[in-house]
Amino acid sequence: MSVVRAFLAIDLDDDLKPKINKIIKEFKQIDAKIKYVELTNLHLTLKFFGDIDTNGLELLEDAIARVVSDFKPFDIKIKGCGAFPNTNRIKVIWVGIDDDAIIKDLHARLDKEFVKLGFDKDKKFSTHLTIGRMKSAKNKNQVKSTIEDYSEFEIGEMKVSEISLKKSTLTPQGPIYDDLKVFEL
């Protein structure tokens, strides 16, 4: 049995990355233990599958194709900064999606198909792009303050016209993502 670590995502437009990098640079000025996401890897995760049998990829791809055929390209607005689970216990630092009703609908319909294939239903889906993971509470108050400073920061808009089924290869330098299949909306 051959397995692949996979997830479904919306890639971030390259022209929005400099504004997100501006936020990351602000966090990097703080002496905190934060592991940052490489700009090339920034994405909005629709579903993390984990390790899946490559023999089942076709079924998964068919399910994705069925759902996306009902969607047309749509615009999203990337705005703000926050933390999971919250700013008092920071584990993940993220930038947000404003007016995310279409993405939530897309996710709900995809997740319903994935459950039929045996995947767990997502308990809580939140539209966000992870920019960093906090590894300790060192200088947490400064990190919290920076998150609050950027809570309403306008990053920009982009058109979502495709979603990608990706393979994630974990390396000591960080994950490497490759498209397994791209689905046009």
Side-chain angles (χ1 to χ4, degrees):
M1 178 174 90
S2 177
V3 297
V4 62
R5 182 180 163 90
F7 64 96
L8 189 64
I10 296 170
D11 286 318
L12 183 69
D13 279 356
D14 286 341
D15 61 341
L16 297 176
K17 290 177 182 177
K19 276 201 165 177
I20 292 175
N21 198 36
K22 177 185 188 311
I23 298 171
I24 292 170
K25 282 181 179 172
E26 289 294 318
F27 285 109
K28 285 183 175 178
Q29 291 180 18
I30 303 166
D31 183 20
K33 288 196 175 199
I34 301 171
K35 171 96 171 94
Y36 298 97
V37 174
E38 293 290 328
L39 285 177
T40 55
N41 285 347
L42 281 176
H43 64 275
L44 188 155
T45 303
L46 290 168
K47 180 74 172 183
F48 178 73
F49 299 106
D51 289 334
I52 58 175
D53 186 339
T54 53
N55 292 331
L57 275 177
E58 197 174 317
L59 285 172
L60 189 59
E61 291 169 358
D62 289 347
I64 297 166
R66 270 195 310 278
V67 173
V68 299
S69 69
D70 291 340
F71 286 82
K72 293 191 230 17
F74 58 93
D75 294 321
I76 59 171
K77 185 177 186 182
I78 299 169
K79 177 186 172 187
C81 189
F84 292 136
N86 57 55
T87 53
N88 291 318
R89 249 187 66 236
I90 303 165
K91 297 284 183 215
V92 171
I93 302 167
W94 50 262
V95 292
I97 310 295
D98 212 19
D99 190 19
D100 58 359
I102 297 173
I103 293 175
K104 285 187 172 175
D105 181 36
L106 175 62
H107 170 267
R109 291 173 63 188
L110 285 164
D111 211 34
K112 194 173 177 180
E113 291 298 314
F114 300 149
V115 167
K116 291 177 192 173
L117 296 175
F119 292 99
D120 291 338
K121 183 172 175 38
D122 284 340
K123 288 176 182 65
K124 188 176 180 213
F125 175 71
S126 175
T127 54
H128 70 281
L129 295 122
T130 298
I131 60 171
R133 289 179 175 77
M134 196 141 173
K135 299 299 184 184
S136 79
K138 182 179 181 185
N139 291 323
K140 180 189 82 168
N141 287 338
Q142 283 179 272
V143 173
K144 179 180 178 177
S145 176
T146 302
I147 289 169
E148 289 166 355
D149 289 347
Y150 283 92
S151 67
E152 294 297 319
F153 185 71
E154 301 264 347
I155 293 160
E157 292 186 20
M158 66 174 257
K159 183 170 284 302
V160 176
S161 57
E162 62 185 33
I163 62 175
S164 305
L165 180 60
K166 295 183 174 290
K167 172 176 85 165
S168 171
T169 306
L170 301 179
T171 74
Q173 295 75 35
I176 298 169
Y177 302 147
D178 295 298
D179 289 343
L180 292 171
K181 186 160 185 168
V182 175
F183 301 85
E184 302 283 331
L185 300 182

